[in-house]
Amino acid sequence: MKFSIDRDSLLNALQLVTGVVERRQTLPVLSNVLVVAEEGRLEFTGTDLEVEILAKAGGVHVDQAGSSTLPARKWLDICRSLPDGSDVQVSQDGEQATVTSGRSRFTLATLPASEFPNVEGSQNLASFSIEEGKLKSMIEKVAFSMAHQDVRYYLNGMLIERTGEHLRMVATDGHRLAMVTEPGGDASSETIQSIIPRKGVMELARLLHDNDEPVEVSIGTNHFRLQSASMVFTSKLVDGKFPDYQRVIPRQGDKIILGAKDTLKGAFSRASILSNEKYRGVRLQLETGLLRITANNPEQEQAEEEVALDYDAGDLEIGFNVSYLIDAINVLAGQDVRISLSDPNSSALVEDPGDETTQYVVMPMRL
């Protein structure tokens, strides 16, 4: 294997695939990136056996076709340290690869390409095309609500649901829920629900860009795959059943907090400073024309915020984890926020009044 490539193209490809490579591996080859060089084509693949990323590089001249695996992070660090605009030559001889650029020369240990595993595909259940920026936006609106290392393993990921009417993404950690819906679909298609694991979701959010270029998405029986002009992303799916999220969404909230997003976010943020660092609880007291937010901590310190509202639906006192409220408000796109409540024991529904596609549910807490 022998090829030459400009440093920027090589760096872009290596950055794409190295993000999925874990620093500590049980298999030595998983610390490497697979390189496949053919006439006019150069591909890099990184995997951790759960997520696989294949990046295609341009600006390459292949002198000798072949394949091998090189240490991912060492190669990336070398590439980063080279001057902008430089050319890089890579050649393999036996169990070593030589990376040369100008007067710099590096020799790296390699492992055979035959030892490199791949994430196996499965029977395809659904395929569709979507704008890259739209998909990125949907993921960012729900990803923060995923559980992290929960014993209910099916919560450590994001539900992607495809029906004849919509594409929907849902995430929950049992205390809050985020849901975003993109209308439109194939009227003849069946409902398909799959859970993308947390790492796959975070990698997708990192890889996708804010543009209107179409990407192809396919969902199989045990894999999720996304293909763009420059990469192919594959993730195994979580083998489990996602909770019935429709039952969680409150429908009868008759006590409405409607205010400016920045005003409410500021009030919650200031009150949170003196909340209990472990439980992050704040108390919301609603009365005619006023929302009062109070927080206490074990040091007997107290914060109180008052927000004037156009409200006349009866008094209500309810407690929430303030971090959950702030997280939901942060991802709303508009200038206003609507929080629908019903009683002290029922969840709150947080929405953007001008956007019906996104909903956030926050469970109350006892203070």
Side-chain angles (χ1 to χ4, degrees):
M1 180 180 72
K2 186 177 182 180
F3 61 88
S4 59
I5 183 173
D6 68 89
R7 177 253 188 189
D8 293 342
S9 297
L10 177 59
L11 181 60
N12 288 338
L14 286 177
Q15 285 176 328
L16 279 178
V17 302
T18 304
V20 79
V21 177
E22 297 286 357
R23 293 186 180 275
R24 295 182 179 179
Q25 296 288 0
T26 52
L27 291 174
V29 74
L30 292 179
S31 297
N32 287 12
V33 57
L34 172 67
V35 187
V36 178
E38 296 179 357
E39 184 61 39
R41 181 172 72 99
L42 187 63
E43 294 179 346
F44 302 83
T45 306
T47 185
D48 65 352
L49 297 181
E50 184 178 88
V51 177
E52 177 185 278
I53 301 172
L54 182 151
K56 305 170 186 177
V60 61
H61 178 73
V62 178
D63 297 307
Q64 183 179 342
S67 60
S68 186
T69 75
L70 281 73
R73 299 195 182 277
K74 292 176 182 176
W75 196 9
L76 177 62
D77 289 342
I78 289 170
C79 193
R80 280 176 174 156
S81 67
L82 295 173
D84 292 345
S86 56
D87 290 323
V88 182
Q89 294 79 41
V90 179
S91 60
Q92 184 183 16
D93 183 15
E95 295 181 354
Q96 292 184 324
T98 302
V99 179
T100 308
S101 180
R103 295 188 177 184
S104 302
R105 179 185 175 91
F106 308 87
T107 303
L108 296 172
T110 67
L111 289 170
S114 58
E115 294 184 13
F116 196 82
N118 67 309
V119 177
E120 297 180 4
S122 59
Q123 179 186 354
N124 199 36
L125 300 177
S127 297
F128 58 92
S129 178
I130 186 172
E131 292 178 8
E132 186 173 349
K134 188 174 291 184
L135 183 63
K136 179 181 177 69
S137 174
M138 291 181 71
I139 291 172
E140 289 176 342
K141 286 178 178 178
V142 302
F144 67 90
S145 287
M146 291 186 296
H148 185 56
Q149 296 182 335
D150 197 296
V151 293
R152 298 164 293 180
Y153 62 93
Y154 47 84
L155 299 184
N156 299 317
M158 179 187 75
L159 174 73
I160 180 168
E161 178 183 88
R162 178 70 172 174
T163 73
E165 291 79 36
H166 63 246
L167 172 68
R168 177 172 289 162
M169 295 179 182
V170 186
T172 180
D173 61 5
H175 303 286
R176 56 178 169 176
L177 178 143
M179 182 176 78
V180 59
T181 306
E182 179 64 30
D186 182 358
S188 62
S189 63
E190 299 179 359
T191 298
I192 295 171
Q193 289 190 334
S194 301
I195 306 173
I196 306 174
R198 181 184 178 87
K199 181 170 183 179
V201 175
M202 303 312 290
E203 283 298 318
L204 267 179
R206 179 181 71 89
L207 294 169
L208 294 172
H209 299 95
D210 288 313
N211 60 48
D212 55 4
E213 293 296 319
V215 293
E216 298 298 322
V217 175
S218 60
I219 303 172
T221 51
N222 60 20
H223 82 277
F224 171 92
R225 179 164 289 150
L226 179 143
Q227 187 162 353
S228 69
S230 60
M231 69 161 183
V232 179
F233 170 92
T234 307
S235 172
K236 287 185 176 180
L237 297 174
V238 176
D239 184 15
K241 183 172 177 58
F242 202 79
D244 183 3
Y245 61 87
Q246 294 284 10
R247 294 175 56 188
V248 177
I249 300 172
R251 311 286 184 187
Q252 308 299 324
D254 58 346
K255 295 175 172 58
I256 310 298
I257 299 173
L258 182 62
K261 173 182 170 180
D262 292 342
T263 301
L264 284 172
K265 178 185 171 183
F268 286 133
S269 298
R270 290 188 295 273
S272 72
I273 296 170
L274 297 184
S275 65
N276 186 308
E277 291 184 5
K278 184 176 181 180
Y279 301 107
R280 309 287 289 163
V282 297
R283 189 186 310 276
L284 274 58
Q285 294 169 291
L286 275 170
E287 54 189 71
T288 301
L290 187 69
L291 166 66
R292 183 177 293 108
I293 307 164
T294 56
N296 299 279
N297 61 29
E299 289 77 38
Q300 305 300 315
E301 297 168 329
Q302 180 173 321
E304 182 175 306
E305 290 280 336
E306 291 188 350
V307 181
L309 296 173
D310 182 12
Y311 174 81
D312 188 17
D315 293 356
L316 175 68
E317 186 171 311
I318 187 170
F320 288 106
N321 181 318
V322 69
S323 296
Y324 295 165
L325 292 175
I326 293 172
D327 286 346
I329 292 173
N330 273 337
V331 291
L332 294 177
Q335 300 300 312
D336 296 313
V337 57
R338 180 174 62 215
I339 304 176
S340 304
L341 305 163
S342 55
D343 60 68
N345 300 312
S346 299
S347 298
L349 181 63
V350 184
E351 300 171 287
D352 177 350
D355 179 14
E356 296 181 354
T357 65
T358 310
Q359 294 179 313
Y360 300 98
V361 179
V362 180
M363 290 183 63
M365 64 185 296
R366 292 186 178 182
L367 297 176

